[in-house]
Amino acid sequence: KGETITFSLWLTSTVITQNQALHALLTWQAISHDERRLNEVLDRFLYVDKTELVKFFQDVVDALFDILEKKPGVSKAVYDALTFLLNSMLEGRSAQASEFRRVIDAYLENFRGATAHQYLIASLKAYVDDPQTFRKQVQSSIKAVDYVFKLLIRSRLVYNQLHQTTSREPVFVNSMATLLSSFNHLMAVDDRVLIGIQTLALRKFQTLFVELTKMFTHEEVSRFVVQFLDAVNTDRTPALFDEKLSFILELAKSDLVVNDGSRRYILPLIVRELIKLLRAQGKDEVAQRQRSTAIQTIGSIC
């Protein structure tokens, strides 16, 4: 008498009762014969609430890559869904976002999609090649580009194991070179509408190039870096100055400076770019701060 029992319930969805758009994606095999309907399912997925995505992250990613492997005709729609998913999980700098990064990193370790890299490269390149037309998609792509690259790198390494080959195959090397060249063209575009995208790209690529050393030599990656930075014209687009300087600071601390194969390309690039930036600035307080930072950077790598 007088005793009470307190209990709490945690309500969660199941594959049967969840959001209809998400349910349709997870049971996509039922309409696999109809690519038009499959495209519609993938399009509706872009409006699924984040809380549902969190609950079914691994199921969703598995479904997306399963579709990619078996129905390449909808590869661009799958790519859109993937970048939407990644950005939804990783937005913000909260502890939750950090936890999601660990979840995604753990997924990557066991990822076995051997042909996924082909479709990821093709879709990403198609958008980056036409940023004025696909501005929204390019922005979404660059927001998630670190994990898109990690996925395609992992996919290629799995492919190498399965087919007893390397990342030196001419077709793959050419596809990566043309993809990176597309980013160079993006950075060279003089369009104020794209400055936000270019700024984000500079921020993301600060550490992204080091990932490429998993497939290419340090010397080859250093050449990619040189071409990328050469495309960023801060004289024409002063708004990119701070991000370019930040890129150089990160570069100066990276393995590309330490490694003998890349140092002979990266070190002259850094010094040349810093001297160029120093000469281009005025005498106001911001310029003096930038000049001071540039000098400190030169000192740290000499």
Side-chain angles (χ1 to χ4, degrees), residues 58-106:
Q58 182 156 342
D59 292 328
V60 169
V61 182
D62 286 343
L64 290 176
F65 282 109
D66 197 23
I67 296 171
L68 196 61
E69 295 277 340
K70 297 174 181 176
K71 306 296 292 185
V74 297
S75 60
K76 189 170 286 188
V78 171
Y79 176 85
D80 291 341
L82 177 65
T83 55
F84 165 74
L85 174 63
L86 291 171
N87 288 327
S88 296
M89 297 281 286
L90 300 172
E91 62 184 355
R93 298 184 179 181
S94 64
Q96 189 180 43
S98 297
E99 178 60 30
F100 290 155
R101 286 185 178 276
R102 287 191 286 272
V103 170
I104 298 173
D105 288 338

Short mmCIF file of all heavy atoms in Angstrom, two decimals, residues 58-106:
data_model
loop_
_atom_site.label_atom_id
_atom_site.label_comp_id
_atom_site.label_asym_id
_atom_site.label_seq_id
_atom_site.Cartn_x
_atom_site.Cartn_y
_atom_site.Cartn_z
N GLN A 58 22.79 2.97 -40.52
CA GLN A 58 23.47 1.88 -41.22
C GLN A 58 22.55 1.19 -42.23
O GLN A 58 22.99 0.86 -43.34
CB GLN A 58 24.01 0.85 -40.23
CG GLN A 58 24.78 -0.27 -40.93
CD GLN A 58 25.80 -0.94 -40.05
OE1 GLN A 58 26.20 -0.41 -39.03
NE2 GLN A 58 26.21 -2.14 -40.46
N ASP A 59 21.28 1.01 -41.87
CA ASP A 59 20.34 0.41 -42.81
C ASP A 59 20.19 1.26 -44.07
O ASP A 59 20.13 0.75 -45.19
CB ASP A 59 18.96 0.25 -42.15
CG ASP A 59 18.97 -0.79 -41.04
OD1 ASP A 59 19.74 -1.76 -41.15
OD2 ASP A 59 18.23 -0.62 -40.07
N VAL A 60 20.15 2.59 -43.86
CA VAL A 60 19.99 3.51 -44.99
C VAL A 60 21.22 3.48 -45.89
O VAL A 60 21.11 3.38 -47.11
CB VAL A 60 19.72 4.94 -44.50
CG1 VAL A 60 19.81 5.94 -45.65
CG2 VAL A 60 18.35 5.04 -43.85
N VAL A 61 22.40 3.57 -45.29
CA VAL A 61 23.63 3.56 -46.10
C VAL A 61 23.77 2.25 -46.84
O VAL A 61 24.14 2.23 -48.03
CB VAL A 61 24.87 3.82 -45.22
CG1 VAL A 61 26.13 3.85 -46.08
CG2 VAL A 61 24.75 5.12 -44.46
N ASP A 62 23.47 1.14 -46.17
CA ASP A 62 23.54 -0.16 -46.84
C ASP A 62 22.59 -0.20 -48.04
O ASP A 62 22.94 -0.70 -49.12
CB ASP A 62 23.17 -1.28 -45.87
CG ASP A 62 24.28 -1.57 -44.87
OD1 ASP A 62 25.42 -1.14 -45.11
OD2 ASP A 62 23.99 -2.22 -43.84
N ALA A 63 21.38 0.34 -47.85
CA ALA A 63 20.40 0.36 -48.94
C ALA A 63 20.89 1.22 -50.10
O ALA A 63 20.77 0.83 -51.27
CB ALA A 63 19.06 0.89 -48.43
N LEU A 64 21.45 2.38 -49.79
CA LEU A 64 21.91 3.29 -50.85
C LEU A 64 23.02 2.65 -51.68
O LEU A 64 23.00 2.70 -52.92
CB LEU A 64 22.41 4.60 -50.23
CG LEU A 64 21.34 5.52 -49.64
CD1 LEU A 64 21.98 6.74 -48.98
CD2 LEU A 64 20.35 5.97 -50.72
N PHE A 65 23.96 2.01 -51.02
CA PHE A 65 25.06 1.40 -51.79
C PHE A 65 24.63 0.11 -52.47
O PHE A 65 25.19 -0.27 -53.51
CB PHE A 65 26.28 1.18 -50.88
CG PHE A 65 27.06 2.44 -50.64
CD1 PHE A 65 27.04 3.06 -49.41
CD2 PHE A 65 27.78 3.03 -51.67
CE1 PHE A 65 27.74 4.24 -49.18
CE2 PHE A 65 28.49 4.21 -51.46
CZ PHE A 65 28.46 4.81 -50.22
N ASP A 66 23.62 -0.54 -51.93
CA ASP A 66 23.07 -1.70 -52.60
C ASP A 66 22.40 -1.27 -53.91
O ASP A 66 22.57 -1.92 -54.96
CB ASP A 66 22.05 -2.39 -51.68
CG ASP A 66 21.73 -3.81 -52.12
OD1 ASP A 66 22.55 -4.42 -52.83
OD2 ASP A 66 20.64 -4.31 -51.75
N ILE A 67 21.66 -0.18 -53.84
CA ILE A 67 21.04 0.37 -55.05
C ILE A 67 22.11 0.78 -56.06
O ILE A 67 22.01 0.51 -57.26
CB ILE A 67 20.15 1.59 -54.71
CG1 ILE A 67 18.98 1.16 -53.82
CG2 ILE A 67 19.62 2.25 -55.98
CD1 ILE A 67 18.17 2.32 -53.26
N LEU A 68 23.16 1.43 -55.56
CA LEU A 68 24.23 1.91 -56.43
C LEU A 68 24.90 0.76 -57.18
O LEU A 68 25.21 0.89 -58.37
CB LEU A 68 25.27 2.66 -55.59
CG LEU A 68 26.26 3.56 -56.33
CD1 LEU A 68 25.54 4.66 -57.08
CD2 LEU A 68 27.26 4.16 -55.34
N GLU A 69 25.10 -0.35 -56.48
CA GLU A 69 25.76 -1.50 -57.11
C GLU A 69 24.86 -2.19 -58.14
O GLU A 69 25.32 -2.65 -59.18
CB GLU A 69 26.15 -2.52 -56.03
CG GLU A 69 27.19 -2.03 -55.03
CD GLU A 69 28.61 -2.18 -55.54
OE1 GLU A 69 28.82 -2.98 -56.47
OE2 GLU A 69 29.51 -1.50 -55.02
N LYS A 70 23.54 -2.22 -57.84
CA LYS A 70 22.63 -3.01 -58.66
C LYS A 70 21.83 -2.20 -59.68
O LYS A 70 21.36 -2.75 -60.67
CB LYS A 70 21.68 -3.80 -57.77
CG LYS A 70 22.40 -4.80 -56.87
CD LYS A 70 21.45 -5.46 -55.89
CE LYS A 70 22.19 -6.44 -54.98
NZ LYS A 70 21.32 -7.03 -53.95
N LYS A 71 21.67 -0.90 -59.42
CA LYS A 71 20.87 -0.05 -60.31
C LYS A 71 21.65 1.24 -60.63
O LYS A 71 21.28 2.34 -60.20
CB LYS A 71 19.53 0.29 -59.66
CG LYS A 71 18.70 -0.90 -59.21
CD LYS A 71 18.28 -1.77 -60.38
CE LYS A 71 17.27 -1.08 -61.27
NZ LYS A 71 16.76 -1.98 -62.34
N PRO A 72 22.74 1.14 -61.37
CA PRO A 72 23.58 2.31 -61.66
C PRO A 72 22.85 3.41 -62.43
O PRO A 72 23.30 4.55 -62.46
CB PRO A 72 24.74 1.73 -62.47
CG PRO A 72 24.23 0.43 -63.02
CD PRO A 72 23.30 -0.10 -61.98
N GLY A 73 21.70 3.08 -63.02
CA GLY A 73 20.95 4.10 -63.75
C GLY A 73 20.41 5.21 -62.87
O GLY A 73 20.06 6.28 -63.37
N VAL A 74 20.35 4.97 -61.55
CA VAL A 74 19.87 6.01 -60.63
C VAL A 74 21.02 6.49 -59.74
O VAL A 74 20.80 6.98 -58.63
CB VAL A 74 18.69 5.50 -59.77
CG1 VAL A 74 17.51 5.15 -60.65
CG2 VAL A 74 19.11 4.30 -58.91
N SER A 75 22.24 6.36 -60.21
CA SER A 75 23.42 6.67 -59.39
C SER A 75 23.45 8.11 -58.91
O SER A 75 23.86 8.39 -57.78
CB SER A 75 24.71 6.34 -60.15
OG SER A 75 24.79 7.10 -61.35
N LYS A 76 23.00 9.05 -59.74
CA LYS A 76 23.04 10.45 -59.32
C LYS A 76 22.04 10.71 -58.19
O LYS A 76 22.32 11.47 -57.25
CB LYS A 76 22.78 11.39 -60.50
CG LYS A 76 23.03 12.86 -60.16
CD LYS A 76 23.02 13.75 -61.38
CE LYS A 76 24.28 13.59 -62.19
NZ LYS A 76 24.36 14.60 -63.28
N ALA A 77 20.87 10.09 -58.27
CA ALA A 77 19.88 10.23 -57.21
C ALA A 77 20.39 9.59 -55.91
O ALA A 77 20.14 10.11 -54.82
CB ALA A 77 18.56 9.60 -57.63
N VAL A 78 21.10 8.48 -56.03
CA VAL A 78 21.71 7.85 -54.85
C VAL A 78 22.75 8.77 -54.25
O VAL A 78 22.83 8.95 -53.03
CB VAL A 78 22.34 6.49 -55.22
CG1 VAL A 78 23.16 5.95 -54.04
CG2 VAL A 78 21.28 5.49 -55.61
N TYR A 79 23.55 9.39 -55.11
CA TYR A 79 24.59 10.32 -54.64
C TYR A 79 23.95 11.49 -53.88
O TYR A 79 24.44 11.89 -52.81
CB TYR A 79 25.40 10.84 -55.83
CG TYR A 79 26.42 11.88 -55.45
CD1 TYR A 79 27.68 11.50 -54.99
CD2 TYR A 79 26.12 13.23 -55.52
CE1 TYR A 79 28.61 12.45 -54.61
CE2 TYR A 79 27.04 14.19 -55.14
CZ TYR A 79 28.29 13.80 -54.69
OH TYR A 79 29.20 14.75 -54.31
N ASP A 80 22.88 12.04 -54.41
CA ASP A 80 22.17 13.14 -53.73
C ASP A 80 21.68 12.70 -52.35
O ASP A 80 21.78 13.44 -51.37
CB ASP A 80 20.99 13.62 -54.57
CG ASP A 80 21.42 14.34 -55.84
OD1 ASP A 80 22.58 14.78 -55.91
OD2 ASP A 80 20.58 14.44 -56.76
N ALA A 81 21.14 11.49 -52.30
CA ALA A 81 20.64 10.96 -51.03
C ALA A 81 21.77 10.76 -50.03
O ALA A 81 21.63 11.03 -48.84
CB ALA A 81 19.90 9.65 -51.27
N LEU A 82 22.91 10.30 -50.53
CA LEU A 82 24.06 10.06 -49.67
C LEU A 82 24.60 11.36 -49.08
O LEU A 82 24.86 11.44 -47.87
CB LEU A 82 25.17 9.35 -50.45
CG LEU A 82 26.46 9.08 -49.70
CD1 LEU A 82 26.22 8.11 -48.55
CD2 LEU A 82 27.53 8.54 -50.65
N THR A 83 24.77 12.39 -49.90
CA THR A 83 25.27 13.67 -49.38
C THR A 83 24.27 14.30 -48.42
O THR A 83 24.67 14.91 -47.41
CB THR A 83 25.61 14.64 -50.51
OG1 THR A 83 24.47 14.82 -51.37
CG2 THR A 83 26.79 14.13 -51.33
N PHE A 84 22.98 14.14 -48.70
CA PHE A 84 21.95 14.63 -47.78
C PHE A 84 22.08 13.93 -46.43
O PHE A 84 22.03 14.56 -45.37
CB PHE A 84 20.56 14.39 -48.37
CG PHE A 84 19.45 14.52 -47.37
CD1 PHE A 84 19.04 15.76 -46.90
CD2 PHE A 84 18.80 13.38 -46.89
CE1 PHE A 84 18.01 15.87 -45.97
CE2 PHE A 84 17.77 13.49 -45.96
CZ PHE A 84 17.38 14.73 -45.50
N LEU A 85 22.24 12.61 -46.46
CA LEU A 85 22.36 11.84 -45.23
C LEU A 85 23.59 12.27 -44.44
O LEU A 85 23.52 12.51 -43.23
CB LEU A 85 22.45 10.35 -45.57
CG LEU A 85 22.73 9.39 -44.41
CD1 LEU A 85 21.59 9.43 -43.40
CD2 LEU A 85 22.95 7.97 -44.93
N LEU A 86 24.73 12.36 -45.10
CA LEU A 86 25.97 12.74 -44.42
C LEU A 86 25.87 14.13 -43.80
O LEU A 86 26.25 14.34 -42.64
CB LEU A 86 27.14 12.68 -45.39
CG LEU A 86 27.56 11.28 -45.87
CD1 LEU A 86 28.58 11.37 -46.99
CD2 LEU A 86 28.10 10.44 -44.71
N ASN A 87 25.35 15.06 -44.57
CA ASN A 87 25.24 16.43 -44.06
C ASN A 87 24.25 16.54 -42.91
O ASN A 87 24.45 17.31 -41.97
CB ASN A 87 24.86 17.39 -45.19
CG ASN A 87 25.99 17.62 -46.16
OD1 ASN A 87 27.16 17.62 -45.77
ND2 ASN A 87 25.68 17.81 -47.43
N SER A 88 23.18 15.76 -42.97
CA SER A 88 22.21 15.76 -41.88
C SER A 88 22.83 15.23 -40.59
O SER A 88 22.57 15.74 -39.50
CB SER A 88 20.99 14.90 -42.25
OG SER A 88 20.30 15.43 -43.36
N MET A 89 23.66 14.22 -40.73
CA MET A 89 24.28 13.61 -39.56
C MET A 89 25.38 14.48 -38.97
O MET A 89 25.61 14.47 -37.76
CB MET A 89 24.88 12.25 -39.95
CG MET A 89 23.88 11.21 -40.40
SD MET A 89 23.02 10.43 -39.04
CE MET A 89 24.31 9.37 -38.40
N LEU A 90 26.07 15.23 -39.82
CA LEU A 90 27.30 15.90 -39.40
C LEU A 90 27.16 17.40 -39.20
O LEU A 90 28.14 18.06 -38.83
CB LEU A 90 28.41 15.63 -40.43
CG LEU A 90 28.78 14.16 -40.64
CD1 LEU A 90 29.74 14.01 -41.81
CD2 LEU A 90 29.39 13.58 -39.36
N GLU A 91 26.00 17.96 -39.44
CA GLU A 91 25.86 19.40 -39.32
C GLU A 91 26.09 19.86 -37.88
O GLU A 91 25.70 19.19 -36.92
CB GLU A 91 24.48 19.85 -39.80
CG GLU A 91 23.32 19.29 -39.00
CD GLU A 91 21.97 19.69 -39.58
OE1 GLU A 91 21.97 20.48 -40.54
OE2 GLU A 91 20.94 19.22 -39.07
N GLY A 92 26.75 21.01 -37.75
CA GLY A 92 27.04 21.57 -36.43
C GLY A 92 28.31 20.98 -35.84
O GLY A 92 28.94 20.09 -36.39
N ARG A 93 28.69 21.52 -34.69
CA ARG A 93 29.91 21.06 -34.01
C ARG A 93 29.60 20.52 -32.62
O ARG A 93 30.42 20.56 -31.71
CB ARG A 93 30.91 22.22 -33.90
CG ARG A 93 31.36 22.75 -35.26
CD ARG A 93 32.42 23.83 -35.10
NE ARG A 93 32.87 24.32 -36.40
CZ ARG A 93 33.80 25.26 -36.56
NH1 ARG A 93 34.35 25.81 -35.49
NH2 ARG A 93 34.17 25.64 -37.76
N SER A 94 28.41 20.02 -32.44
CA SER A 94 27.99 19.52 -31.14
C SER A 94 28.65 18.18 -30.84
O SER A 94 29.25 17.53 -31.70
CB SER A 94 26.47 19.36 -31.11
OG SER A 94 26.07 18.38 -32.05
N ALA A 95 28.50 17.75 -29.58
CA ALA A 95 29.01 16.44 -29.19
C ALA A 95 28.32 15.34 -29.98
O ALA A 95 28.91 14.31 -30.30
CB ALA A 95 28.81 16.23 -27.69
N GLN A 96 27.04 15.57 -30.31
CA GLN A 96 26.30 14.59 -31.11
C GLN A 96 26.90 14.42 -32.49
O GLN A 96 27.04 13.30 -32.99
CB GLN A 96 24.84 15.01 -31.21
CG GLN A 96 23.93 13.96 -31.82
CD GLN A 96 22.48 14.40 -31.91
OE1 GLN A 96 22.20 15.54 -32.29
NE2 GLN A 96 21.57 13.53 -31.53
N ALA A 97 27.28 15.55 -33.11
CA ALA A 97 27.91 15.47 -34.43
C ALA A 97 29.23 14.72 -34.36
O ALA A 97 29.56 13.94 -35.26
CB ALA A 97 28.13 16.88 -34.98
N SER A 98 29.98 14.92 -33.29
CA SER A 98 31.25 14.21 -33.11
C SER A 98 31.01 12.72 -32.97
O SER A 98 31.76 11.89 -33.49
CB SER A 98 31.99 14.74 -31.88
OG SER A 98 32.32 16.10 -32.04
N GLU A 99 29.95 12.35 -32.25
CA GLU A 99 29.60 10.95 -32.09
C GLU A 99 29.21 10.34 -33.43
O GLU A 99 29.60 9.20 -33.76
CB GLU A 99 28.46 10.80 -31.09
CG GLU A 99 27.99 9.36 -30.89
CD GLU A 99 29.07 8.45 -30.36
OE1 GLU A 99 29.97 8.94 -29.63
OE2 GLU A 99 29.05 7.24 -30.69
N PHE A 100 28.47 11.09 -34.24
CA PHE A 100 28.08 10.60 -35.55
C PHE A 100 29.30 10.37 -36.43
O PHE A 100 29.34 9.44 -37.25
CB PHE A 100 27.12 11.58 -36.23
CG PHE A 100 25.76 11.63 -35.59
CD1 PHE A 100 24.96 12.76 -35.70
CD2 PHE A 100 25.27 10.54 -34.88
CE1 PHE A 100 23.71 12.81 -35.10
CE2 PHE A 100 24.02 10.58 -34.28
CZ PHE A 100 23.24 11.72 -34.39
N ARG A 101 30.31 11.23 -36.29
CA ARG A 101 31.54 11.03 -37.05
C ARG A 101 32.18 9.69 -36.70
O ARG A 101 32.69 8.98 -37.58
CB ARG A 101 32.53 12.17 -36.80
CG ARG A 101 32.15 13.47 -37.48
CD ARG A 101 33.21 14.55 -37.32
NE ARG A 101 32.81 15.75 -38.02
CZ ARG A 101 32.99 15.98 -39.31
NH1 ARG A 101 33.61 15.06 -40.04
NH2 ARG A 101 32.59 17.09 -39.87
N ARG A 102 32.16 9.35 -35.43
CA ARG A 102 32.72 8.06 -35.02
C ARG A 102 31.90 6.90 -35.59
O ARG A 102 32.46 5.87 -35.99
CB ARG A 102 32.77 7.98 -33.48
CG ARG A 102 33.87 8.85 -32.87
CD ARG A 102 34.06 8.54 -31.39
NE ARG A 102 32.97 9.07 -30.58
CZ ARG A 102 32.96 10.29 -30.08
NH1 ARG A 102 33.97 11.12 -30.29
NH2 ARG A 102 31.94 10.70 -29.34
N VAL A 103 30.59 7.08 -35.65
CA VAL A 103 29.72 6.05 -36.23
C VAL A 103 30.05 5.87 -37.72
O VAL A 103 30.17 4.73 -38.21
CB VAL A 103 28.24 6.43 -36.06
CG1 VAL A 103 27.34 5.49 -36.86
CG2 VAL A 103 27.85 6.39 -34.58
N ILE A 104 30.19 6.98 -38.43
CA ILE A 104 30.48 6.91 -39.86
C ILE A 104 31.88 6.33 -40.10
O ILE A 104 32.08 5.52 -41.01
CB ILE A 104 30.34 8.30 -40.51
CG1 ILE A 104 28.90 8.80 -40.37
CG2 ILE A 104 30.73 8.25 -41.98
CD1 ILE A 104 28.70 10.24 -40.81
N ASP A 105 32.84 6.73 -39.27
CA ASP A 105 34.19 6.20 -39.40
C ASP A 105 34.21 4.68 -39.18
O ASP A 105 34.92 3.95 -39.89
CB ASP A 105 35.14 6.88 -38.40
CG ASP A 105 35.45 8.32 -38.77
OD1 ASP A 105 35.30 8.66 -39.96
OD2 ASP A 105 35.83 9.10 -37.87
N ALA A 106 33.42 4.23 -38.21
CA ALA A 106 33.34 2.78 -37.96
C ALA A 106 32.71 2.07 -39.16
O ALA A 106 33.14 0.96 -39.53
CB ALA A 106 32.51 2.52 -36.69
#
